[in-house]
Amino acid sequence: MPKSKLTSHLPRGLAVAALCLAVATPALALDLNDFRREHHLPPLHVSAAMIAAAYEHAHELAAREDLDHDGFEQRMAGSSRAAENVAYGCRTRDCVFRMWARSPGHRRNMLMKGLTHYGLASARGANGQTYWVLEMGN
């Protein structure tokens, strides 16, 4: 993805995150935040740093064609409370959000108290699968 003048001074991951923020649709934020609101929790704000972390990890997962949480503590350093959801197989944000909402552990992460920000990214592996990472923290 070529860098724009706006993001050319940023490291690759942050440049991608800034571009994602510029073109992001509010659909996931509304879905995630509606889900949290239904459970009497405050909404989360989009974070460029968390999008960058999610982007890098999603691409690592896609390259390895495997799911893991390797490096989570380093990615979320600076957050006193953090959670990460990973998945593969869904092609859309709606699909992965619904899948996580039906999974007790992933659902618990999305409903964790004390979170303030999130970032979401996906990457396609050579196997054709889409790998998703949702980072949440404060």
Side-chain angles (χ1 to χ4, degrees):
M1 177 180 295
K3 291 184 180 181
S4 71
K5 289 181 183 180
L6 176 68
T7 60
S8 62
H9 65 285
L10 296 173
R12 182 173 183 264
L14 285 178
V16 169
L19 289 172
C20 288
L21 278 173
V23 298
T25 63
L28 179 70
L30 292 173
D31 289 344
L32 178 57
N33 288 331
D34 285 345
F35 183 67
R36 288 179 58 83
R37 232 179 323 275
E38 287 173 10
H39 294 86
H40 311 289
L41 293 169
L44 303 182
H45 305 281
V46 176
S47 161
M50 288 190 192
I51 289 174
Y55 175 90
E56 294 296 332
H57 192 51
H59 281 79
E60 291 168 1
L61 297 177
R64 291 193 313 266
E65 297 179 354
D66 195 16
L67 289 181
D68 62 48
H69 296 282
D70 292 352
F72 172 69
E73 290 180 8
Q74 292 82 13
R75 282 189 297 282
M76 300 308 287
S79 287
S80 61
R81 190 143 180 88
E84 176 180 76
N85 286 355
V86 297
Y88 75 94
C90 285
R91 294 206 183 268
T92 67
R93 292 175 178 183
D94 183 61
C95 171
V96 76
F97 175 76
R98 290 177 191 283
M99 182 171 64
W100 284 330
R102 288 188 304 264
S103 163
H106 296 102
R107 177 185 183 92
R108 186 172 42 254
N109 284 347
M110 292 188 298
L111 296 176
M112 186 181 290
K113 293 179 180 178
L115 301 176
T116 57
H117 291 82
Y118 79 96
L120 175 77
S122 66
R124 179 84 42 104
N127 61 0
Q129 294 290 339
T130 302
Y131 292 80
W132 294 89
V133 176
L134 174 63
E135 302 288 7
M136 296 168 284
N138 60 7

